[in-house]
Amino acid sequence: MKTKKFTLHTARQGYQNITNTVCNVIAESGVQSGICVVFCPHTTAAITINENADPDVQHDLEIGFDEAFPDRRVFQHSEGNSDAHLKCSAVGASETILIEDGKPLLGMWQGIYFCEFDGPRTRRYYVKVMADG
């Protein structure tokens, strides 16, 4: 299956639930058993899997990442967004999801999120579905 490209518009910082989009790509692919890779080609944004039942988790993630990776005067990167680069490196550019019976093997509370650390921006992400064998 050809890689699918998606565009979204982000806020300054936050998490956009892209689970339904990924599930739709998997369903459209017809793949019953395989893997799905979700990839972000940006250096200040990322992809993660986390809880999707309680929106307070997203709020708490923002607070936690801001405390773990604060913007510091000693940073030398001229764009002034080194904290966003650190957050992106900690989270990662992609997630791989197993597919069985035509569905992603996500836990009951899991969702797939696009993480923005340096918006607002227009961003891209890619979804690739591959069948076993």
Side-chain angles (χ1 to χ4, degrees):
M1 177 184 171
K2 187 175 178 180
T3 302
K4 296 257 188 167
K5 175 183 171 182
F6 296 92
T7 302
L8 47 81
H9 303 284
T10 63
R12 185 188 73 75
Q13 182 169 276
Y15 301 86
Q16 290 194 29
N17 190 334
I18 59 172
T19 309
N20 287 339
T21 301
V22 174
C23 288
N24 289 340
V25 172
I26 292 170
E28 289 170 12
S29 76
V31 170
Q32 292 300 300
S33 181
I35 60 171
C36 174
V37 177
V38 183
F39 174 74
C40 171
H42 304 287
T43 60
T44 58
I47 302 293
T48 194
I49 295 174
N50 214 304
E51 181 173 330
N52 69 357
D54 182 355
D56 287 339
V57 171
Q58 295 161 34
H59 173 264
D60 296 347
L61 285 170
E62 282 188 41
I63 291 171
F65 276 118
D66 285 345
E67 287 183 13
F69 303 103
D71 188 14
R72 300 178 59 204
R73 279 189 242 170
V74 296
F75 290 152
Q76 295 181 3
H77 181 45
S78 62
E79 288 183 43
N81 60 356
S82 289
D83 61 319
H85 288 287
L86 289 164
K87 293 169 187 175
C88 174
S89 289
V91 174
S94 67
E95 289 287 349
T96 302
I97 300 104
L98 300 175
I99 301 168
E100 286 301 330
D101 299 321
K103 295 183 168 78
L105 285 180
L106 293 170
M108 181 186 312
W109 306 112
Q110 288 183 320
I112 305 163
Y113 288 89
F114 185 95
C115 312
E116 176 61 74
F117 301 121
D118 189 36
R121 295 186 187 238
T122 299
R123 298 289 201 173
R124 300 180 317 278
Y125 67 95
Y126 297 90
V127 180
K128 175 78 171 182
V129 178
M130 294 166 277
D132 287 344

